[in-house]
Amino acid sequence: MGLNAALKVPATGERPRDNGHALVGSRCGQCGAASFPARAVCHRCGTAAPAEHAFAATGVLLTYTTVHVPRPGLPAPYTLGQIALDDGGPMVFGQVRTGGSAPEAGMAVRVRIGETPRYWFEPERFAG
């Protein structure tokens, strides 16, 4: 098949990143590697055009940091975290909103989809 199939994959900015309730990336049918955002070529085995895949909407907060010097459009301070998705999806990074309580490594989180930022994570106990 070769890499020609990768040429038919829409550009990164044109591929969906969510489906309204979960993050969407790619999973390789050859080796099972997961990527977010989706890739045109598998980063592990080089297979062209991995399949689009909606990942679990839940995961575990592995680590986090508080940002005091913000990106334009995001008021500081805010928390960024590294999340391991429950279905073995890729590690993802995103804003963590805890409603004023302190985040904790190991806490269960759920992805939320919005406008700015496009997605963030909340403790599972807050999700409703």
Side-chain angles (χ1 to χ4, degrees), residues 41-53:
V41 176
C42 176
H43 67 279
R44 185 182 298 156
C45 71
T47 297
E52 186 176 289
H53 183 81

Side-chain angles (χ1 to χ4, degrees), residues 18 112-120:
D18 67 78
R112 293 296 187 198
I113 307 298
E115 293 299 319
T116 304
R118 185 71 187 135
Y119 65 93
W120 65 92

